Amino acid sequence: MTKNTHRTYQQDIVGDGISSIQKVREPHQYRSGPGIKYALIGICILFLFVMLVLPLLVVVTNALRDGWEAYKEAVLDEYTIRALQLTLFATAAAVVVNTIFGLFASYLLSKFYFRGRQILAALIDIPFSISPVIAGLVFILTFGNVGWMGDFLKAHDIKIVFAVPGVVLATVFVTFPFVFRELFPVMNAQGKDEEEAAALMGAGGFTIFRRITFPHIRWALLYGVILCAARAMGEFGAVSVISGHLRGKTNTLPLHVEILYNEFNTTAAFAVSSILVVLAVLILIARNIVERTKDLK
C-alpha cells in the first residue's frame, strides 16, 4: 500500500467516523408528540393519587371524623401504647440482629470464595419468596407445644409461641435479607485489593474494616437499616400467626388495628393506623435525607 493510498484510506475512515458521529448526534426524525408525554405524566399522577395519596387522606379523614378528643383517646389508649411499645421493640431487635447478620454475611460472600457460596446467597433470599403466614406457621410447628422443640422448651420453661420472643423472631425472619441485599453489591463491587494491601502493610482486621471497608459501605448500610425498620414496623402475616393476638401482650400496631376494625370501632382503628402512617413518613424523610446526603458527598 503506497503512502498516498494509506493517507486516502485514513481520510475515508476519519470521514466515516465523523459522519457516524454526526448521524448519532442528529435528533431522531421520529419524535413522539408532546401529547404522549403529558398523557404518561397524567397516568402516573393518577395512579399515585389512587394508590398512595387517596388512602392516606382516607386514613386521616376517618381518624379525625369524631373529633380530636376521640382521636386522642384512641391513640393514648393503654392497649395502643403497649402495641406501639412492642412494635418499636420488635423493630429495634430486628434492625440490630439483621444489621449484624447483614454485615457478616455480605463480608463473607463478597471477600471469600468457597463452594456453596451461591446456595448460601439464595438461602438468605428465602423470606422474599415465602409467604409471611407460612413462616409464622413454620415457627409454630417448630417452637410450639407440639412442635419439634416443644418438649425441650417446656422442660426449660421457655415460651416462644404466643409470646414476645415469637413476635421478635417472626419480625427478624421476614426482614433479615434487607441489610444484606443493600451491602452485598457494594462490597462485591469494591473487591478486596485495598484490604489485602492494608493487611500486607500490617494493619489489623478491625482497622482495615474501620478505615477502608466501612467508608465504602456506610450509606448502603444506613439505607438497608432504614428499609429493614420500615418493613419490620408494618409486618402483619407472620406476627399474626405466631402472636396469638393477645391484647396488651403480643399485639403489635398492625394487629391492634385489625382487632379494632373487627370490633367495628373504625374511628379508633383509623386513629391507630395514623400512627403507622406518621412512622412511615418519618422513615421516608430519613431515606430522602440519606439519599441527598449521599449525592452531596
Side-chain angles (χ1 to χ4, degrees):
M1 181 182 295
T2 63
K3 183 176 182 180
N4 293 332
T5 304
H6 182 68
R7 182 179 301 171
T8 303
Y9 180 68
Q10 288 180 337
Q11 292 174 352
D12 292 339
I13 294 177
V14 173
D16 292 341
I18 295 175
S19 300
S20 301
I21 294 174
Q22 290 176 347
K23 290 180 180 179
V24 172
R25 290 180 177 176
E26 288 178 357
H28 199 279
Q29 58 180 344
Y30 298 104
R31 290 184 175 180
S32 59
I36 297 178
K37 179 180 71 173
Y38 292 121
L40 293 176
I41 293 175
I43 292 173
C44 293
I45 293 176
L46 179 62
F47 181 81
L48 291 175
F49 179 79
V50 173
M51 300 300 296
L52 295 177
V53 178
L54 185 60
L56 294 179
L57 291 177
V58 171
V59 170
V60 174
T61 302
N62 284 275
L64 299 174
R65 182 176 55 186
D66 294 339
W68 176 254
E69 292 298 327
Y71 175 84
K72 187 168 63 173
E73 181 181 356
V75 170
L76 298 179
D77 182 70
E78 177 186 359
Y79 294 128
T80 302
I81 299 298
R82 291 185 180 180
L84 176 61
Q85 290 174 346
L86 180 57
T87 301
L88 296 178
F89 175 75
T91 299
V95 168
V96 171
V97 172
N98 292 327
T99 299
I100 296 174
F101 171 81
L103 280 171
F104 288 170
S106 57
Y107 192 87
L108 171 66
L109 295 179
S110 62
K111 308 300 181 181
F112 300 94
Y113 296 90
F114 52 91
R115 184 174 298 178
R117 178 171 171 267
Q118 297 298 328
I119 297 176
L120 180 58
L123 290 176
I124 296 175
D125 290 335
I126 284 181
F128 284 145
S129 57
I130 292 182
S131 170
V133 176
I134 302 300
L137 181 60
V138 168
F139 286 132
I140 289 180
L141 296 177
T142 304
F143 303 106
N145 292 331
V146 295
W148 294 345
M149 299 184 63
D151 295 335
F152 174 82
L153 295 176
K154 284 191 292 185
H156 293 80
D157 195 22
I158 300 175
K159 191 171 181 61
I160 295 179
V161 176
F162 304 151
V164 173
V167 175
V168 174
L169 183 63
T171 306
V172 169
F173 175 80
V174 298
T175 57
F176 78 78
F178 284 89
V179 177
F180 168 78
R181 274 301 158 196
E182 291 297 325
L183 289 178
F184 177 69
V186 178
M187 284 191 176
N188 199 35
Q190 178 190 0
K192 52 183 180 180
D193 294 338
E194 295 181 11
E195 286 92 344
E196 290 177 348
L200 291 175
M201 296 175 65
F206 181 74
T207 302
I208 293 174
F209 178 82
R210 181 173 59 87
R211 300 290 297 274
I212 298 176
T213 306
F214 183 74
H216 289 283
I217 66 171
R218 56 181 177 177
W219 297 114
L221 176 61
L222 186 56
Y223 195 68
V225 167
I226 292 174
L227 291 178
C228 179
R231 179 68 179 86
M233 283 191 298
E235 172 54 29
F236 178 84
V239 174
S240 177
V241 174
I242 201 172
S243 67
H245 290 262
L246 302 178
R247 178 174 283 184
K249 295 182 179 179
T250 61
N251 264 355
T252 59
L253 278 181
L255 301 184
H256 188 51
V257 171
E258 183 199 24
I259 289 178
L260 292 174
Y261 189 80
N262 290 336
E263 293 176 349
F264 301 101
N265 192 356
T266 55
T267 301
F270 281 108
V272 177
S273 299
S274 66
I275 300 176
L276 291 172
V277 172
V278 171
L279 293 176
V281 171
L282 292 177
I283 290 178
L284 180 62
I285 293 173
R287 190 192 70 175
N288 291 335
I289 292 175
V290 169
E291 290 180 347
R292 182 173 299 181
T293 306
K294 178 182 178 182
D295 293 337
L296 293 177
K297 295 293 184 178

